[in-house]
Amino acid sequence: MTSPTLPGAPFVAYRHDALHLENLSLQALAKAHGTPLFVYSKAAMLSALAAYQRAFQGRQAKVHYAMKANSSLGVLQVFAQAGCGFDIVSGGELARVLAAGGQAKDVIFSGVGKRRAEMKTALQAGIACFNVESEAELDVLNEVALACGKVAPISIRVNPNVDPKTHPYISTGLKGNKFGVAHERTLQAYQHAASLPGLKVVGIDFHIGSQITTSEPYMDALDKMLDLVEQIEAAGIPIHHLDFGGGLGIDYNGDTPPAADALWTQLLARLDERGFGQRQLMIEPGRSLVGNAGVCLTEVQFIKPGEQKNFCIVDAAMNDLPRPAMYQAFHQIVPLHPRTGHPTVYDVVGPVCESGDWIGRDRALDVQAGDLLAVLSAGAYCMSMASNYNTRGRPAEVLVDGDAAHVIRQRESVQDQMRGEQLLS
Ligand code: LLP
C-alpha cells in the first residue's frame, strides 16, 4: 500500500505495508517504547524550517519558533542548533530555551499576562524583545525595568481586526479577542511607550491566529501593519523590526495552506513594493514547523460494537491528544499495518471518563484489539497541551533522526505525578 497523501509525507509513509517515520518502522518503536508514544522526525522539522529559510534568503529575517506548539527539550534543541530564535509566553518557556542550548538574546516574549517576576527574569537574561499586549503592561514593564536598572526592548502587539477564518478559539486578531492593542490606539500606545525611560521601542508585532490556510488574511494584516509603521515613524518613533507572528496552517485532512516559501514570496513582494523589503523581519511559526513532523502511536484496547455507534477504544486519550475534545479538531488515524478485510465505522475513543474523550469520529477502520494505530499531525499542540487527567502519565517521546531513535522524554510514572503532593499532617 502506498499513501503519498498522508499528512507528514514524505517523512511519514508506508513501506512494504508498514508505516515508517523517516527510516524507522513505527511498529518497532511502539514495541520498544510502549504506547501511547509520540514520535517526531527531525528531518521533517528541518524541512519545514527550510521552506521559510528559502524565502528569506538575502533578507534580514529571523525565525522565532513559537515553542508553545511543542516545548520538549529535544525539539527545542533541534531548532536552536538550526539557528532559530524562540517565541516564549512564560518564564517557564525561557528556562526551557536555556536548558535546550538556546540563547536569551534570540528570545522574544509574547503573552497578555506576563508577571513582574517573569519580566524581571527575562530582562536580566537579556532577551531580544518583549511583545507588549496592553498599555497597562507598558507601564508595569517600565517600572520593572527601572527597578532592575535595565531598559526593556519592546514591540507592541497590534490587534489588526483581521479575520483569519479559522476556529474561533485560535483566531486572535479580531476586535473581540483579548490579544494585542487595538489598531486605533496603536499610535498613542507607541507615543506612551517612547515617553517611558525604562522602555526602548524596537519593533511592531502582529499575530492574527492559527491554522490559517489562505494568504489573504496575511496580506490584509501586512498592509495594515505597514500603514501603522508609516504613521508611527512619521511621529518620530523609529521601528527597527517587523514581526508577523505565526499562524500558518498545516494539512490535517486535505487542507491546502500555502507553502511557507510561497506565502513569504508573496508577502516579501508586497514589502518590497512598499519600500520595507530591507527591514529586519521576524516571524513566530509554531504548528507549521512541527505539526506534521509528529505522530502519536496508540494500541487498540477493545472493540465495542453498539446499536448506534461502534467504538474502537485505544490507549491514547484526551489528556494526551486534547485537540479533538477542545476544538473538534480532525486528525487522521491510520493503522501501522493495514489489514485487508472490510472496514467498520468506529468512533475512536480513549479511556478517560468523559464523553468528550474522542480522538476521531466515524472512522472506517479494519482493526482488532492489539492493533497499533498512528494519530497523524500530532507534532504540534498535543504533547505541549497534554495533562494528567485521570492520573494518566504523559506519553514518552522519541525523536527520529534517520536510522536513529532518541528517547527525548521518558514516560511519566505515577511517582512523577505525585511528586510535590503531601498528605495532611
Ligand atoms: N505567536 C503567538 C503570539 C501565538 O499566540 C501563537 C500561537 C504563535 C505565535 C504560533 O502560532 P502557530 O504558528 O502555531 O499557529 N492550541 C491551538 C493553537 C493555539 C495557538 C496559540 N498561539 C491548537 O491546537 O490548534
Side-chain angles (χ1 to χ4, degrees), residues 66 68-69 87 110 133 157 170 172 179 207 209-211 245-248 252 284-288 323 327 380-381 385:
K68 62 171 81 66
D87 172 54
S110 303
E133 301 224 16
R157 173 166 176 191
I170 52 177
T172 52
F179 299 99
H207 169 78
S210 202
Q211 186 54 16
L248 181 58
Y252 284 100
E284 308 164 359
R287 186 191 321 263
S288 55
R323 303 192 69 257
Y327 319 112
Y381 303 111
M385 288 173 50

Side-chain angles (χ1 to χ4, degrees), residues 208-287:
I208 52 176
S210 202
Q211 186 54 16
I212 300 170
T213 52
T214 61
S215 52
E216 285 76 33
Y218 282 104
M219 292 299 280
D220 292 353
L222 172 61
D223 273 321
K224 287 196 166 188
M225 177 192 274
L226 299 183
D227 293 347
L228 280 177
V229 174
E230 283 167 356
Q231 257 185 47
I232 298 162
E233 294 196 327
I237 304 169
I239 301 290
H240 178 67
H241 77 245
L242 315 178
D243 177 349
F244 297 93
L248 181 58
I250 60 169
D251 172 21
Y252 284 100
N253 185 31
D255 307 284
T256 52
D261 43 355
L263 172 68
W264 272 97
T265 303
Q266 202 181 343
L267 291 169
L268 286 163
R270 186 81 184 127
L271 279 159
D272 286 340
E273 225 172 86
R274 294 198 51 176
F276 288 92
Q278 289 314 313
R279 290 292 176 108
Q280 173 70 44
L281 308 175
M282 291 185 178
I283 54 166
E284 308 164 359
R287 186 191 321 263

Side-chain angles (χ1 to χ4, degrees), residues 148-411:
C148 52
K150 301 271 183 196
V151 174
I154 66 124
S155 70
I156 292 181
R157 173 166 176 191
V158 179
N159 182 336
N161 199 24
V162 164
D163 186 355
K165 301 197 171 52
T166 182
H167 190 284
Y169 282 12
I170 52 177
S171 80
T172 52
L174 277 167
K175 265 194 177 164
N177 295 127
K178 68 178 175 180
F179 299 99
V181 168
H183 188 257
E184 308 76 53
R185 293 213 39 103
T186 308
L187 181 58
Q188 275 162 289
Y190 268 99
Q191 284 170 326
H192 183 51
S195 75
L196 297 172
L199 305 185
K200 178 173 168 45
V201 171
V202 294
I204 187 167
D205 171 42
F206 274 45
H207 169 78
I208 52 176
S210 202
Q211 186 54 16
I212 300 170
T213 52
T214 61
S215 52
E216 285 76 33
Y218 282 104
M219 292 299 280
D220 292 353
L222 172 61
D223 273 321
K224 287 196 166 188
M225 177 192 274
L226 299 183
D227 293 347
L228 280 177
V229 174
E230 283 167 356
Q231 257 185 47
I232 298 162
E233 294 196 327
I237 304 169
I239 301 290
H240 178 67
H241 77 245
L242 315 178
D243 177 349
F244 297 93
L248 181 58
I250 60 169
D251 172 21
Y252 284 100
N253 185 31
D255 307 284
T256 52
D261 43 355
L263 172 68
W264 272 97
T265 303
Q266 202 181 343
L267 291 169
L268 286 163
R270 186 81 184 127
L271 279 159
D272 286 340
E273 225 172 86
R274 294 198 51 176
F276 288 92
Q278 289 314 313
R279 290 292 176 108
Q280 173 70 44
L281 308 175
M282 291 185 178
I283 54 166
E284 308 164 359
R287 186 191 321 263
S288 55
L289 293 180
V290 291
N292 269 332
V295 300
C296 181
L297 308 184
T298 183
E299 187 187 64
V300 177
Q301 303 300 294
F302 304 106
I303 296 294
K304 185 173 176 182
E307 244 175 60
Q308 296 190 349
K309 286 259 175 192
N310 300 309
F311 294 100
C312 169
I313 303 172
V314 297
D315 64 359
M318 65 187 289
N319 71 296
D320 311 300
L321 291 162
R323 303 192 69 257
M326 279 186 80
Y327 319 112
Q328 293 79 48
F330 186 100
H331 288 257
Q332 287 201 31
I333 305 172
V334 298
L336 296 195
H337 284 276
R339 294 178 178 278
T340 49
H342 285 294
T344 303
V345 174
Y346 294 103
D347 274 11
V348 179
V349 300
V352 162
C353 301
E354 299 265 353
S355 296
D357 179 29
W358 56 277
I359 312 286
R361 286 192 164 140
D362 299 324
R363 303 301 176 87
L365 290 165
D366 176 15
V367 278
Q368 296 177 6
D371 283 5
L372 290 163
L373 302 174
V375 180
L376 304 185
S377 313
Y381 303 111
C382 291
M383 187 62 183
S384 60
M385 288 173 50
S387 77
N388 291 127
Y389 189 37
N390 282 205
T391 307
R392 288 170 50 88
R394 288 174 301 161
E397 295 179 295
V398 168
L399 193 135
V400 171
D401 183 6
D403 295 322
H406 305 276
V407 175
I408 57 166
R409 185 196 298 260
Q410 291 173 5
R411 190 171 301 286

